[in-house]
Amino acid sequence: MKRRSLLKGGSAFISALILEKSLAAPVQGLGLLEPAYEPMHKGPFKPTWQSLQQYKVPDWYRDAKFGMWAHWGPQCQPEAGDWYAREMYMEGSRKYEFHVKKYGHPSKFGFKDVINEWKAENWNPDELVTLYKNSGAQYFMALANHHDNLDLYDSKYQSEWNSTKVGPKKDIIGGWAKAAKKAGLPFGVSVHAAHTWSWLEVATRADKNGPYAGVPYDGNLTKKDGAGKWWNGLDPQALYEQNHPLSQNSDDDGAIHRQWNWGNGASVPSKAYCEKFYNRTIDLINKYKPDLIYFDDTALPLWPISDVGLRIAAHMYNKSIKDNGKLTAVITGKILDEQQRKAVVWDIERGQSNSIEPFTWQTDTCIGDWHYNREVYDRKGYKSAQTVIHTLIDVVSKNGNFMLNVPVRGDGTIDDQERKIVEDIGVWMRANGESIYGTHPWKIFGEGPAQEGAAALTAQGFNEGKGKPFTDKDVRFVTKGNYLYATVMAWPETGTAVIKSLATGNQYHTAKINRVELVATKEPLQFKQTAEGLVVIFPANRPEASYANALKIS
Protein backbone atom coordinates (compact mmCIF):
# COMPACT_ATOMS: atom_id res chain seq x y z
CA MET A 1 0.00 0.00 0.00
CA LYS A 2 1.62 3.27 -1.08
CA ARG A 3 1.83 6.12 1.41
CA ARG A 4 3.59 9.43 1.31
CA SER A 5 5.60 10.89 4.13
CA LEU A 6 3.90 13.89 5.71
CA LEU A 7 6.66 15.03 8.02
CA LYS A 8 10.13 16.05 7.07
CA GLY A 9 10.93 19.00 9.28
CA GLY A 10 8.05 19.16 11.73
CA SER A 11 8.71 16.15 13.92
CA ALA A 12 11.11 17.98 16.23
CA PHE A 13 8.53 20.69 16.86
CA ILE A 14 5.80 18.23 17.74
CA SER A 15 8.17 16.13 19.84
CA ALA A 16 8.88 19.20 21.92
CA LEU A 17 5.19 19.46 22.72
CA ILE A 18 4.96 15.92 24.09
CA LEU A 19 5.44 15.50 27.81
CA GLU A 20 7.68 12.90 29.39
CA LYS A 21 4.93 11.27 31.47
CA SER A 22 2.26 8.81 30.38
CA LEU A 23 -0.45 10.34 32.58
CA ALA A 24 -0.98 14.04 31.99
CA ALA A 25 -3.51 16.63 30.92
CA PRO A 26 -4.33 16.68 27.20
CA VAL A 27 -2.43 19.01 24.92
CA GLN A 28 -5.06 21.16 23.26
CA GLY A 29 -5.39 20.78 19.51
CA LEU A 30 -3.08 17.76 19.19
CA GLY A 31 -5.18 15.06 20.82
CA LEU A 32 -2.35 14.06 23.13
CA LEU A 33 -2.13 12.40 26.51
CA GLU A 34 -5.59 11.49 27.66
CA PRO A 35 -5.40 9.71 31.03
CA ALA A 36 -4.56 6.07 30.38
CA TYR A 37 -5.93 2.96 32.04
CA GLU A 38 -2.80 0.91 31.31
CA PRO A 39 0.22 2.52 32.98
CA MET A 40 3.35 3.03 30.95
CA HIS A 41 6.26 1.06 32.38
CA LYS A 42 8.84 3.44 33.78
CA GLY A 43 12.55 3.22 33.09
CA PRO A 44 15.33 4.92 31.11
CA PHE A 45 13.17 5.41 28.01
CA LYS A 46 10.75 8.33 27.93
CA PRO A 47 7.98 8.82 25.32
CA THR A 48 9.97 11.22 23.11
CA TRP A 49 11.93 10.61 19.93
CA GLN A 50 15.03 12.04 21.60
CA SER A 51 14.86 9.57 24.49
CA LEU A 52 14.05 6.61 22.26
CA GLN A 53 17.24 7.28 20.29
CA GLN A 54 19.16 5.57 23.14
CA TYR A 55 17.94 2.32 21.56
CA LYS A 56 20.41 -0.37 20.45
CA VAL A 57 19.25 -3.30 18.32
CA PRO A 58 19.62 -6.51 20.35
CA ASP A 59 22.12 -9.14 19.20
CA TRP A 60 19.49 -11.87 18.80
CA TYR A 61 17.65 -9.86 16.18
CA ARG A 62 20.69 -8.57 14.31
CA ASP A 63 22.08 -12.11 14.06
CA ALA A 64 18.79 -13.88 13.22
CA LYS A 65 18.41 -12.38 9.71
CA PHE A 66 15.37 -14.46 8.68
CA GLY A 67 11.87 -14.51 10.16
CA MET A 68 8.51 -15.93 9.09
CA TRP A 69 5.15 -14.21 9.44
CA ALA A 70 1.57 -15.48 9.60
CA HIS A 71 -0.42 -12.47 8.34
CA TRP A 72 -3.63 -14.33 9.09
CA GLY A 73 -7.05 -13.17 10.17
CA PRO A 74 -10.69 -13.04 9.07
CA GLN A 75 -9.83 -11.36 5.76
CA CYS A 76 -8.30 -14.71 4.73
CA GLN A 77 -11.66 -16.46 5.06
CA PRO A 78 -13.02 -15.37 1.62
CA GLU A 79 -9.65 -16.33 0.04
CA ALA A 80 -9.87 -13.27 -2.18
CA GLY A 81 -6.70 -11.38 -1.27
CA ASP A 82 -5.57 -8.16 0.38
CA TRP A 83 -7.71 -5.47 1.95
CA TYR A 84 -10.91 -7.48 1.62
CA ALA A 85 -12.62 -5.72 4.53
CA ARG A 86 -12.21 -2.38 2.76
CA GLU A 87 -12.63 -3.23 -0.90
CA MET A 88 -15.80 -5.31 -0.40
CA TYR A 89 -17.48 -1.95 0.23
CA MET A 90 -16.09 -0.30 -2.93
CA GLU A 91 -18.91 -0.56 -5.47
CA GLY A 92 -17.79 -2.03 -8.79
CA SER A 93 -14.44 -3.31 -7.50
CA ARG A 94 -13.40 -6.93 -7.99
CA LYS A 95 -13.83 -7.70 -4.30
CA TYR A 96 -17.23 -5.99 -4.19
CA GLU A 97 -18.43 -8.16 -7.07
CA PHE A 98 -16.90 -11.24 -5.44
CA HIS A 99 -18.58 -10.44 -2.13
CA VAL A 100 -22.03 -9.88 -3.61
CA LYS A 101 -21.80 -13.18 -5.47
CA LYS A 102 -20.44 -15.20 -2.53
CA TYR A 103 -22.15 -13.63 0.48
CA GLY A 104 -24.71 -11.08 -0.64
CA HIS A 105 -24.97 -7.30 -0.62
CA PRO A 106 -22.84 -5.48 2.01
CA SER A 107 -25.93 -3.82 3.43
CA LYS A 108 -27.12 -7.28 4.45
CA PHE A 109 -23.84 -9.18 4.90
CA GLY A 110 -20.98 -6.96 5.98
CA PHE A 111 -17.49 -7.63 7.21
CA LYS A 112 -18.74 -8.38 10.73
CA ASP A 113 -20.57 -11.31 9.12
CA VAL A 114 -17.38 -12.46 7.36
CA ILE A 115 -15.81 -12.61 10.82
CA ASN A 116 -18.67 -14.85 11.92
CA GLU A 117 -17.87 -17.22 9.02
CA TRP A 118 -14.22 -17.55 10.06
CA LYS A 119 -13.72 -20.63 12.26
CA ALA A 120 -10.00 -21.53 11.86
CA GLU A 121 -11.11 -25.14 12.21
CA ASN A 122 -7.90 -26.79 10.94
CA TRP A 123 -5.36 -24.47 12.54
CA ASN A 124 -2.35 -26.26 14.04
CA PRO A 125 0.12 -23.62 15.20
CA ASP A 126 2.69 -26.14 16.46
CA GLU A 127 2.90 -27.82 13.05
CA LEU A 128 3.23 -24.56 11.11
CA VAL A 129 5.79 -22.96 13.42
CA THR A 130 7.87 -26.16 13.34
CA LEU A 131 7.72 -26.10 9.53
CA TYR A 132 8.92 -22.49 9.50
CA LYS A 133 11.71 -23.22 11.95
CA ASN A 134 12.84 -26.12 9.76
CA SER A 135 12.92 -23.72 6.80
CA GLY A 136 15.59 -21.70 8.60
CA ALA A 137 13.47 -18.99 10.26
CA GLN A 138 15.07 -17.66 13.44
CA TYR A 139 11.99 -15.80 14.69
CA PHE A 140 8.24 -15.93 14.08
CA MET A 141 5.62 -13.18 13.91
CA ALA A 142 1.82 -13.31 13.88
CA LEU A 143 -0.88 -10.78 13.03
CA ALA A 144 -2.46 -9.39 16.22
CA ASN A 145 -4.96 -7.17 14.41
CA HIS A 146 -5.35 -5.64 10.98
CA HIS A 147 -7.04 -2.49 9.72
CA ASP A 148 -10.29 -4.49 10.05
CA ASN A 149 -9.97 -3.87 13.84
CA LEU A 150 -10.59 -7.40 15.13
CA ASP A 151 -8.15 -8.26 17.91
CA LEU A 152 -6.88 -11.82 17.47
CA TYR A 153 -6.29 -12.32 21.17
CA ASP A 154 -8.06 -12.17 24.53
CA SER A 155 -8.35 -8.39 24.41
CA LYS A 156 -9.43 -6.48 27.51
CA TYR A 157 -10.19 -3.29 25.59
CA GLN A 158 -11.67 -4.80 22.43
CA SER A 159 -13.73 -7.07 24.63
CA GLU A 160 -16.57 -7.72 22.16
CA TRP A 161 -14.72 -7.88 18.86
CA ASN A 162 -11.86 -10.26 19.49
CA SER A 163 -11.18 -13.80 18.29
CA THR A 164 -12.02 -15.38 21.66
CA LYS A 165 -15.58 -14.00 21.51
CA VAL A 166 -16.47 -14.08 17.79
CA GLY A 167 -15.33 -15.97 14.70
CA PRO A 168 -13.12 -18.91 15.71
CA LYS A 169 -13.56 -18.21 19.45
CA LYS A 170 -9.89 -19.01 19.92
CA ASP A 171 -6.96 -17.05 21.31
CA ILE A 172 -4.99 -16.86 18.07
CA ILE A 173 -2.03 -14.90 19.45
CA GLY A 174 -1.96 -17.11 22.52
CA GLY A 175 -1.73 -20.21 20.31
CA TRP A 176 1.02 -18.77 18.13
CA ALA A 177 2.99 -17.52 21.16
CA LYS A 178 2.87 -20.94 22.82
CA ALA A 179 4.00 -22.64 19.59
CA ALA A 180 6.88 -20.20 19.12
CA LYS A 181 8.06 -20.72 22.69
CA LYS A 182 7.88 -24.50 22.24
CA ALA A 183 9.98 -24.20 19.07
CA GLY A 184 12.49 -21.94 20.81
CA LEU A 185 11.85 -18.99 18.48
CA PRO A 186 11.55 -15.33 19.48
CA PHE A 187 7.95 -14.22 18.98
CA GLY A 188 6.65 -11.09 17.30
CA VAL A 189 3.24 -9.52 16.74
CA SER A 190 2.11 -7.15 13.98
CA VAL A 191 -0.33 -4.37 14.87
CA HIS A 192 -2.23 -2.48 12.16
CA ALA A 193 -5.46 -1.31 13.81
CA ALA A 194 -4.51 2.36 14.27
CA HIS A 195 -5.91 3.04 10.79
CA THR A 196 -9.41 1.58 11.12
CA TRP A 197 -10.75 5.10 11.70
CA SER A 198 -10.24 6.15 8.07
CA TRP A 199 -9.67 2.75 6.41
CA LEU A 200 -13.22 1.56 7.04
CA GLU A 201 -14.98 4.80 6.07
CA VAL A 202 -16.06 2.91 2.95
CA ALA A 203 -18.39 0.79 5.14
CA THR A 204 -20.63 3.86 5.62
CA ARG A 205 -21.30 4.23 1.90
CA ALA A 206 -24.20 3.03 -0.21
CA ASP A 207 -24.41 1.85 -3.80
CA LYS A 208 -24.85 4.62 -6.35
CA ASN A 209 -26.33 2.29 -8.95
CA GLY A 210 -28.49 -0.80 -9.22
CA PRO A 211 -31.29 -2.24 -7.08
CA TYR A 212 -29.57 -1.27 -3.77
CA ALA A 213 -28.83 2.33 -4.77
CA GLY A 214 -29.00 4.51 -1.67
CA VAL A 215 -29.22 1.59 0.78
CA PRO A 216 -26.49 2.12 3.42
CA TYR A 217 -23.88 -0.57 4.00
CA ASP A 218 -23.60 -2.06 7.47
CA GLY A 219 -20.91 0.36 8.64
CA ASN A 220 -23.72 2.61 9.90
CA LEU A 221 -25.28 0.00 12.20
CA THR A 222 -25.32 0.36 15.98
CA LYS A 223 -25.92 -1.98 18.89
CA LYS A 224 -29.71 -1.48 18.84
CA ASP A 225 -29.87 -2.86 15.28
CA GLY A 226 -28.74 -6.31 16.43
CA ALA A 227 -32.03 -7.54 17.86
CA GLY A 228 -32.71 -11.04 16.52
CA LYS A 229 -29.35 -11.19 14.73
CA TRP A 230 -26.33 -13.39 15.48
CA TRP A 231 -24.57 -10.29 16.76
CA ASN A 232 -27.31 -9.31 19.20
CA GLY A 233 -25.72 -7.42 22.08
CA LEU A 234 -22.60 -6.47 20.11
CA ASP A 235 -21.95 -2.93 18.90
CA PRO A 236 -20.79 -2.78 15.27
CA GLN A 237 -19.34 0.67 15.93
CA ALA A 238 -16.85 -0.85 18.37
CA LEU A 239 -15.53 -2.73 15.32
CA TYR A 240 -16.02 -0.27 12.44
CA GLU A 241 -15.30 2.95 14.44
CA GLN A 242 -17.28 5.14 12.05
CA ASN A 243 -19.16 7.48 14.38
CA HIS A 244 -17.15 10.46 13.16
CA PRO A 245 -16.92 12.95 10.27
CA LEU A 246 -15.49 11.47 7.07
CA SER A 247 -12.12 12.41 5.67
CA GLN A 248 -11.92 14.90 2.85
CA ASN A 249 -12.32 13.13 -0.50
CA SER A 250 -13.50 10.02 1.32
CA ASP A 251 -15.34 8.95 -1.85
CA ASP A 252 -11.97 8.78 -3.62
CA ASP A 253 -10.82 5.18 -3.09
CA GLY A 254 -7.18 6.19 -3.51
CA ALA A 255 -7.23 9.02 -0.97
CA ILE A 256 -6.35 6.64 1.88
CA HIS A 257 -2.81 6.34 0.50
CA ARG A 258 -2.25 10.10 0.48
CA GLN A 259 -3.73 10.42 3.96
CA TRP A 260 -1.93 7.51 5.60
CA ASN A 261 0.04 9.63 8.04
CA TRP A 262 -3.01 11.68 9.01
CA GLY A 263 -2.50 14.57 6.61
CA ASN A 264 -4.04 15.78 3.35
CA GLY A 265 -7.54 16.00 4.81
CA ALA A 266 -7.66 12.77 6.79
CA SER A 267 -10.29 12.74 9.52
CA VAL A 268 -8.39 13.14 12.79
CA PRO A 269 -9.13 10.35 15.30
CA SER A 270 -10.62 11.31 18.63
CA LYS A 271 -8.59 11.20 21.82
CA ALA A 272 -10.78 8.34 23.02
CA TYR A 273 -9.92 6.32 19.89
CA CYS A 274 -6.20 6.97 20.32
CA GLU A 275 -6.25 6.01 23.99
CA LYS A 276 -8.21 2.84 23.28
CA PHE A 277 -5.53 1.86 20.76
CA TYR A 278 -2.86 2.56 23.39
CA ASN A 279 -4.65 0.42 25.98
CA ARG A 280 -5.24 -2.44 23.54
CA THR A 281 -1.58 -2.51 22.54
CA ILE A 282 -0.20 -2.27 26.09
CA ASP A 283 -2.58 -5.08 27.08
CA LEU A 284 -1.23 -7.15 24.17
CA ILE A 285 2.39 -6.53 25.22
CA ASN A 286 1.75 -7.26 28.88
CA LYS A 287 -0.19 -10.48 28.28
CA TYR A 288 1.86 -12.11 25.54
CA LYS A 289 5.34 -10.60 26.07
CA PRO A 290 6.35 -10.36 22.40
CA ASP A 291 10.01 -9.90 21.57
CA LEU A 292 9.10 -7.85 18.50
CA ILE A 293 6.23 -5.57 17.56
CA TYR A 294 5.69 -4.49 13.94
CA PHE A 295 3.66 -1.36 13.26
CA ASP A 296 2.13 -0.75 9.83
CA ASP A 297 2.43 2.99 10.29
CA THR A 298 4.55 5.91 9.23
CA ALA A 299 7.02 6.27 12.13
CA LEU A 300 4.77 5.03 14.97
CA PRO A 301 1.00 4.55 15.30
CA LEU A 302 -1.08 7.75 15.17
CA TRP A 303 2.01 9.96 14.95
CA PRO A 304 1.99 12.99 14.76
CA ILE A 305 -1.61 13.53 15.94
CA SER A 306 -1.00 11.59 19.16
CA ASP A 307 1.93 10.43 21.27
CA VAL A 308 0.45 6.96 21.98
CA GLY A 309 3.01 5.29 19.72
CA LEU A 310 5.86 6.92 21.62
CA ARG A 311 4.36 5.78 24.92
CA ILE A 312 3.94 2.23 23.63
CA ALA A 313 7.57 2.16 22.48
CA ALA A 314 8.87 3.50 25.79
CA HIS A 315 6.73 0.97 27.67
CA MET A 316 7.98 -1.97 25.61
CA TYR A 317 11.65 -0.99 25.91
CA ASN A 318 11.44 -0.36 29.65
CA LYS A 319 9.48 -3.56 30.27
CA SER A 320 12.03 -5.53 28.27
CA ILE A 321 14.85 -4.22 30.47
CA LYS A 322 12.94 -5.08 33.65
CA ASP A 323 11.92 -8.57 32.47
CA ASN A 324 15.23 -9.59 30.87
CA GLY A 325 17.89 -7.54 32.64
CA LYS A 326 18.74 -5.88 29.33
CA LEU A 327 16.96 -4.49 26.29
CA THR A 328 15.93 -7.36 23.99
CA ALA A 329 12.82 -5.83 22.40
CA VAL A 330 12.44 -4.78 18.76
CA ILE A 331 9.91 -2.31 17.31
CA THR A 332 9.63 -1.58 13.60
CA GLY A 333 8.18 1.45 11.79
CA LYS A 334 7.97 2.73 8.23
CA ILE A 335 9.10 5.84 6.33
CA LEU A 336 11.45 6.90 9.12
CA ASP A 337 13.72 9.92 9.00
CA GLU A 338 17.38 9.58 9.98
CA GLN A 339 16.76 10.36 13.64
CA GLN A 340 13.76 8.04 13.95
CA ARG A 341 15.86 5.17 12.56
CA LYS A 342 17.92 5.39 15.75
CA ALA A 343 14.78 4.88 17.87
CA VAL A 344 13.06 1.99 16.08
CA VAL A 345 14.01 -0.45 13.31
CA TRP A 346 13.22 0.81 9.82
CA ASP A 347 10.91 -1.55 7.96
CA ILE A 348 10.68 -1.51 4.15
CA GLU A 349 7.56 -3.15 2.72
CA ARG A 350 8.00 -5.27 -0.43
CA GLY A 351 11.37 -3.79 -1.22
CA GLN A 352 14.95 -3.31 -0.14
CA SER A 353 17.58 -0.67 0.33
CA ASN A 354 20.09 -0.07 -2.43
CA SER A 355 23.02 0.46 -0.07
CA ILE A 356 24.50 -0.76 3.22
CA GLU A 357 22.44 0.90 5.94
CA PRO A 358 24.17 2.18 9.10
CA PHE A 359 21.46 0.67 11.33
CA THR A 360 19.86 -2.77 11.20
CA TRP A 361 16.69 -2.64 9.10
CA GLN A 362 14.07 -5.10 7.91
CA THR A 363 12.22 -5.84 4.73
CA ASP A 364 8.86 -7.57 4.87
CA THR A 365 7.34 -9.29 1.89
CA CYS A 366 5.04 -12.13 0.96
CA ILE A 367 5.18 -15.04 -1.45
CA GLY A 368 1.70 -14.03 -2.65
CA ASP A 369 -0.89 -11.56 -1.35
CA TRP A 370 -0.75 -10.55 2.30
CA HIS A 371 -4.12 -12.21 2.88
CA TYR A 372 -4.74 -15.57 1.26
CA ASN A 373 -5.86 -15.35 -2.37
CA ARG A 374 -6.99 -18.52 -4.13
CA GLU A 375 -6.39 -16.92 -7.53
CA VAL A 376 -2.63 -16.77 -6.83
CA TYR A 377 -2.65 -20.49 -6.13
CA ASP A 378 -4.70 -21.28 -9.25
CA ARG A 379 -2.32 -19.41 -11.56
CA LYS A 380 0.77 -20.71 -9.71
CA GLY A 381 1.76 -17.13 -8.99
CA TYR A 382 3.76 -17.46 -5.77
CA LYS A 383 7.33 -16.25 -5.46
CA SER A 384 9.72 -19.15 -5.94
CA ALA A 385 12.16 -20.34 -3.30
CA GLN A 386 14.91 -18.98 -5.54
CA THR A 387 13.38 -15.48 -5.49
CA VAL A 388 13.03 -15.62 -1.73
CA ILE A 389 16.63 -16.75 -1.22
CA HIS A 390 18.00 -14.12 -3.63
CA THR A 391 16.12 -11.40 -1.76
CA LEU A 392 17.33 -12.68 1.61
CA ILE A 393 20.98 -12.69 0.49
CA ASP A 394 20.70 -9.20 -0.98
CA VAL A 395 19.01 -7.79 2.13
CA VAL A 396 21.51 -9.38 4.53
CA SER A 397 24.46 -7.96 2.54
CA LYS A 398 23.00 -4.48 3.21
CA ASN A 399 22.65 -4.94 6.99
CA GLY A 400 19.02 -6.01 6.83
CA ASN A 401 16.71 -8.72 8.13
CA PHE A 402 14.13 -10.49 5.99
CA MET A 403 10.56 -11.19 7.16
CA LEU A 404 8.53 -13.50 4.90
CA ASN A 405 4.77 -13.99 5.03
CA VAL A 406 3.27 -17.27 3.85
CA PRO A 407 -0.48 -16.62 3.43
CA VAL A 408 -2.66 -18.87 5.58
CA ARG A 409 -6.07 -20.05 4.39
CA GLY A 410 -9.17 -19.23 6.39
CA ASP A 411 -9.23 -22.70 7.93
CA GLY A 412 -5.70 -22.25 9.33
CA THR A 413 -3.71 -24.31 6.81
CA ILE A 414 -1.28 -23.46 4.01
CA ASP A 415 -1.66 -24.98 0.56
CA ASP A 416 0.59 -27.54 -1.11
CA GLN A 417 2.40 -25.03 -3.33
CA GLU A 418 3.26 -22.86 -0.34
CA ARG A 419 4.46 -25.84 1.65
CA LYS A 420 6.80 -26.90 -1.17
CA ILE A 421 8.28 -23.39 -1.37
CA VAL A 422 8.87 -23.31 2.39
CA GLU A 423 10.51 -26.74 2.28
CA ASP A 424 12.75 -25.70 -0.64
CA ILE A 425 13.85 -22.60 1.29
CA GLY A 426 14.84 -24.96 4.09
CA VAL A 427 17.00 -27.05 1.77
CA TRP A 428 19.11 -24.02 0.84
CA MET A 429 19.25 -22.62 4.37
CA ARG A 430 20.45 -25.88 5.89
CA ALA A 431 23.30 -26.03 3.38
CA ASN A 432 24.23 -22.34 3.34
CA GLY A 433 22.94 -20.85 6.59
CA GLU A 434 26.42 -20.09 7.94
CA SER A 435 26.71 -17.43 5.22
CA ILE A 436 23.54 -15.76 6.56
CA TYR A 437 23.22 -16.09 10.34
CA GLY A 438 25.38 -13.88 12.54
CA THR A 439 27.04 -12.14 9.60
CA HIS A 440 27.83 -8.47 9.15
CA PRO A 441 28.13 -6.21 6.10
CA TRP A 442 31.49 -6.03 4.38
CA LYS A 443 33.06 -2.88 2.94
CA ILE A 444 30.77 -3.16 -0.09
CA PHE A 445 27.58 -5.20 -0.34
CA GLY A 446 28.21 -6.63 -3.78
CA GLU A 447 28.85 -6.29 -7.47
CA GLY A 448 27.14 -7.08 -10.74
CA PRO A 449 24.50 -5.87 -13.20
CA ALA A 450 21.42 -6.43 -10.98
CA GLN A 451 22.27 -3.49 -8.74
CA GLU A 452 22.97 -1.29 -11.73
CA GLY A 453 19.30 -1.64 -12.70
CA ALA A 454 17.86 -1.47 -9.18
CA ALA A 455 14.76 0.65 -8.66
CA ALA A 456 14.49 3.38 -6.04
CA LEU A 457 12.21 3.01 -3.03
CA THR A 458 8.69 4.41 -3.33
CA ALA A 459 6.88 5.52 -0.14
CA GLN A 460 7.51 2.72 2.35
CA GLY A 461 9.19 0.39 -0.15
CA PHE A 462 7.71 -1.28 -3.21
CA ASN A 463 10.79 -1.66 -5.36
CA GLU A 464 11.04 -5.46 -5.27
CA GLY A 465 11.02 -7.20 -8.63
CA LYS A 466 11.65 -4.00 -10.57
CA GLY A 467 15.33 -4.54 -11.29
CA LYS A 468 17.25 -7.02 -13.39
CA PRO A 469 17.21 -10.70 -12.34
CA PHE A 470 20.32 -12.01 -10.63
CA THR A 471 22.92 -13.90 -12.67
CA ASP A 472 26.29 -15.51 -11.98
CA LYS A 473 27.82 -12.06 -12.55
CA ASP A 474 26.06 -10.83 -9.39
CA VAL A 475 27.84 -11.39 -6.07
CA ARG A 476 26.85 -10.42 -2.53
CA PHE A 477 29.33 -10.12 0.35
CA VAL A 478 29.15 -10.48 4.14
CA THR A 479 31.71 -11.21 6.86
CA LYS A 480 31.80 -13.31 10.02
CA GLY A 481 34.90 -13.57 12.16
CA ASN A 482 37.92 -13.82 9.89
CA TYR A 483 35.93 -15.09 6.93
CA LEU A 484 34.55 -13.31 3.92
CA TYR A 485 31.49 -14.88 2.33
CA ALA A 486 30.90 -14.15 -1.36
CA THR A 487 27.64 -15.56 -2.70
CA VAL A 488 27.49 -16.04 -6.46
CA MET A 489 23.83 -15.54 -7.27
CA ALA A 490 23.57 -18.24 -9.95
CA TRP A 491 25.51 -21.35 -10.90
CA PRO A 492 28.02 -20.29 -13.58
CA GLU A 493 27.23 -22.22 -16.75
CA THR A 494 30.86 -21.88 -17.87
CA GLY A 495 31.97 -23.54 -14.63
CA THR A 496 33.92 -20.45 -13.62
CA ALA A 497 32.92 -17.43 -11.54
CA VAL A 498 34.87 -14.18 -11.62
CA ILE A 499 34.59 -11.90 -8.59
CA LYS A 500 35.88 -8.54 -9.79
CA SER A 501 36.02 -6.88 -6.38
CA LEU A 502 38.68 -9.41 -5.31
CA ALA A 503 41.09 -8.78 -8.17
CA THR A 504 44.80 -8.47 -7.35
CA GLY A 505 45.56 -5.09 -5.83
CA ASN A 506 41.93 -4.42 -4.95
CA GLN A 507 41.24 -1.81 -2.24
CA TYR A 508 38.85 -3.97 -0.19
CA HIS A 509 40.60 -7.27 0.56
CA THR A 510 44.36 -6.87 0.78
CA ALA A 511 45.18 -10.08 2.66
CA LYS A 512 46.38 -13.12 0.73
CA ILE A 513 43.57 -15.54 -0.13
CA ASN A 514 44.55 -19.06 0.91
CA ARG A 515 41.31 -21.01 0.57
CA VAL A 516 37.94 -20.81 -1.17
CA GLU A 517 35.31 -23.29 -0.03
CA LEU A 518 31.85 -24.03 -1.41
CA VAL A 519 29.74 -23.65 1.73
CA ALA A 520 26.99 -26.07 0.64
CA THR A 521 29.40 -29.03 0.34
CA LYS A 522 32.40 -27.84 2.42
CA GLU A 523 34.70 -28.77 -0.47
CA PRO A 524 37.68 -26.54 -1.35
CA LEU A 525 37.61 -25.04 -4.84
CA GLN A 526 40.42 -24.23 -7.24
CA PHE A 527 40.99 -20.50 -7.66
CA LYS A 528 43.46 -17.90 -8.79
CA GLN A 529 43.64 -14.18 -8.19
CA THR A 530 44.17 -12.14 -11.34
CA ALA A 531 43.96 -8.54 -12.43
CA GLU A 532 40.47 -9.37 -13.71
CA GLY A 533 39.24 -10.77 -10.41
CA LEU A 534 39.18 -13.82 -8.17
CA VAL A 535 38.60 -16.66 -10.61
CA VAL A 536 36.89 -19.62 -8.94
CA ILE A 537 36.47 -23.00 -10.63
CA PHE A 538 33.13 -24.57 -9.63
CA PRO A 539 32.84 -28.38 -9.25
CA ALA A 540 31.29 -30.56 -11.95
CA ASN A 541 28.41 -31.64 -9.73
CA ARG A 542 25.96 -29.05 -8.49
CA PRO A 543 24.65 -29.26 -4.94
CA GLU A 544 20.90 -29.21 -4.38
CA ALA A 545 19.31 -25.72 -4.57
CA SER A 546 22.28 -24.22 -6.43
CA TYR A 547 20.48 -21.03 -7.43
CA ALA A 548 22.73 -19.12 -5.02
CA ASN A 549 26.20 -20.35 -4.11
CA ALA A 550 28.00 -19.15 -1.01
CA LEU A 551 31.80 -19.20 -1.06
CA LYS A 552 33.80 -19.05 2.18
CA ILE A 553 37.03 -17.15 1.63
CA SER A 554 39.96 -17.28 4.07
Side-chain angles (χ1 to χ4, degrees), residues 434 515-519 521-525 550-553:
E434 72 167 271
R515 180 183 172 92
V516 177
E517 177 184 298
L518 184 63
V519 172
T521 62
K522 312 302 182 189
E523 62 184 298
L525 302 181
L551 305 178
K552 186 176 183 179
I553 298 171

Side-chain angles (χ1 to χ4, degrees), residues 66 68 131-132 134-137 367 383-389 392 402 404-406 418-433 437 545 547:
F66 180 41
M68 295 284 269
L131 175 70
Y132 299 151
N134 290 340
S135 77
I367 63 171
K383 288 183 175 73
S384 66
Q386 173 176 300
T387 297
V388 170
I389 292 299
L392 170 66
F402 182 70
L404 179 69
N405 174 50
V406 178
E418 293 176 313
R419 187 172 293 273
K420 179 64 164 59
I421 292 165
V422 172
E423 290 171 348
D424 287 348
I425 292 169
V427 170
W428 190 91
M429 292 295 284
R430 282 189 292 276
N432 295 277
Y437 306 128
Y547 32 74

Side-chain angles (χ1 to χ4, degrees), residues 184-197:
L185 294 180
F187 178 60
V189 293
S190 70
V191 173
H192 310 243
H195 280 281
T196 303
W197 181 274

Side-chain angles (χ1 to χ4, degrees), residues 436-505:
I436 299 293
Y437 306 128
T439 61
H440 301 277
W442 192 43
K443 299 172 184 177
I444 56 174
F445 67 82
E447 66 181 45
Q451 188 59 34
E452 296 167 9
L457 294 171
T458 303
Q460 77 271 39
F462 297 103
N463 65 342
E464 70 174 15
K466 294 182 179 179
K468 296 178 180 178
F470 290 107
T471 70
D472 64 334
K473 303 297 188 295
D474 294 294
V475 182
R476 293 293 178 264
F477 301 108
V478 290
T479 64
K480 184 161 56 176
N482 295 322
Y483 298 105
L484 172 66
Y485 292 88
T487 300
V488 180
M489 301 291 270
W491 190 267
E493 295 301 329
T494 62
T496 302
V498 180
I499 304 174
K500 295 180 179 180
S501 301
L502 297 179
T504 53

